[in-house]
Amino acid sequence: IGIGLGAAISGLMVQFLPAPRVAVYVLLAVLFVVLAVAVAVRIEPAARSRDDTLSVRPRLGVPPAARRSFALLVPGVVASAAMGGFYNSLSGSVAVQILGHANRAISGFAILTLQAAAIAASLAMPALARAPRVVVAGSCVLAAGLGVLALSLVASSTTAFFLGTALAGGGYGAVYLGTVRVLADLAPAGRRAELMSALNVVNYLSLSVPTLAAGVLATHIGLRPTAISFCLVLVSLALTSVVALTGAKRVK
């Protein structure tokens, strides 16, 4: 919700308010001050431990029982996170340079569409659905959405772009929800936090590193071929996840 609404509101501010390079940051600064005051005055319900450094000391690891499943789930996580990073950083350039829109709010609403579809997919997923099947289904939808996105960039079609965005967002939501379910079931109670931390390391590296590479590549070969190639690479990763999980003898 935060990413989607933040992008949409920022896009509207850039398009319609003066000083677009300042207004967004002024608003965020005011919000952070309000939140800082709210956090400072609230009562902490949890008892303090004898050694408070334990609560902030990083713990990262994949327990032996979860390592095989973790490895099988990585391609889908990388594909979905990299797609999200691409939208957050380059959708504005895609809207202007490829789709031909002068309205800067378009890219914000593209990110909102992506995140809304991810939320909808997560909420619509049956609670008792087997988590690996959720990941496989999500990876298939993600691959389909990315394929539609690639076609939209070839044809410079805004309608296809938003259709692909909605499909890819739904797949992204299902992949992440299913992945968390699988790993949460496999981790011993005392090691669940470090396993989720390992998942987040993969997630955020995938969110940032491929997008940086795409930005560098776009300066050499152009945005359109870079964006199309990026989508096709992520399609292959999503399908790799489908094949790996379908062929696995046992993923809880």
Side-chain angles (χ1 to χ4, degrees):
I1 292 172
I3 293 174
L5 286 181
I9 293 170
S10 296
L12 291 170
M13 292 178 70
V14 167
Q15 182 64 31
F16 297 110
L17 293 185
R21 297 187 182 186
V22 177
V24 172
Y25 300 103
V26 170
L27 175 61
L28 287 174
V30 171
L31 289 175
F32 283 133
V33 169
V34 171
L35 289 171
V37 172
V39 170
V41 301
R42 75 182 296 274
I43 299 174
E44 174 57 62
R48 299 177 73 89
S49 64
R50 292 182 179 179
D51 185 0
D52 286 338
T53 60
L54 292 175
S55 63
V56 294
R57 185 180 302 165
R59 292 173 58 196
L60 187 71
V62 181
R67 286 174 186 169
R68 179 172 174 270
S69 295
F70 190 90
L72 293 173
L73 292 164
V74 161
V77 173
V78 172
S80 57
M83 183 264 304
F86 177 82
Y87 268 83
N88 292 343
S89 59
L90 295 176
S91 60
S93 299
V94 168
V96 174
Q97 298 180 31
I98 298 179
L99 301 180
H101 290 284
N103 191 329
R104 302 286 178 169
I106 291 292
S107 63
F109 280 98
I111 297 172
L112 177 61
T113 300
L114 182 80
Q115 300 298 332
I119 294 169
S122 299
L123 294 176
M125 203 62 60
L128 298 179
R130 292 191 68 242
R133 293 179 182 174
V134 171
V135 178
V136 169
S139 297
C140 290
V141 175
L142 176 62
L146 288 165
V148 173
L149 280 172
L151 291 175
S152 76
L153 299 175
V154 172
S156 299
S157 170
T158 301
T159 301
F161 178 77
F162 274 92
L163 175 60
T165 298
L167 285 171
Y172 159 59
V175 167
Y176 198 77
L177 174 66
T179 297
V180 170
R181 280 186 184 175
V182 171
L183 296 180
D185 287 343
L186 290 175
R191 302 192 64 184
R192 195 165 289 166
E194 63 185 270
L195 178 56
M196 291 300 109
S197 296
L199 173 62
N200 278 325
V201 167
V202 173
N203 189 52
Y204 284 106
L205 285 175
S206 304
L207 191 74
S208 56
V209 175
T211 307
L212 286 171
V216 172
L217 187 61
T219 63
H220 295 285
I221 68 172
L223 181 61
R224 190 191 301 265
T226 298
I228 294 171
S229 301
F230 196 82
C231 287
L232 295 179
V233 169
L234 298 189
V235 166
S236 67
L237 277 174
L239 294 179
T240 298
S241 177
V242 173
V243 172
L245 291 170
T246 303
K249 293 182 179 179
R250 186 184 71 84
V251 178
K252 186 173 179 180

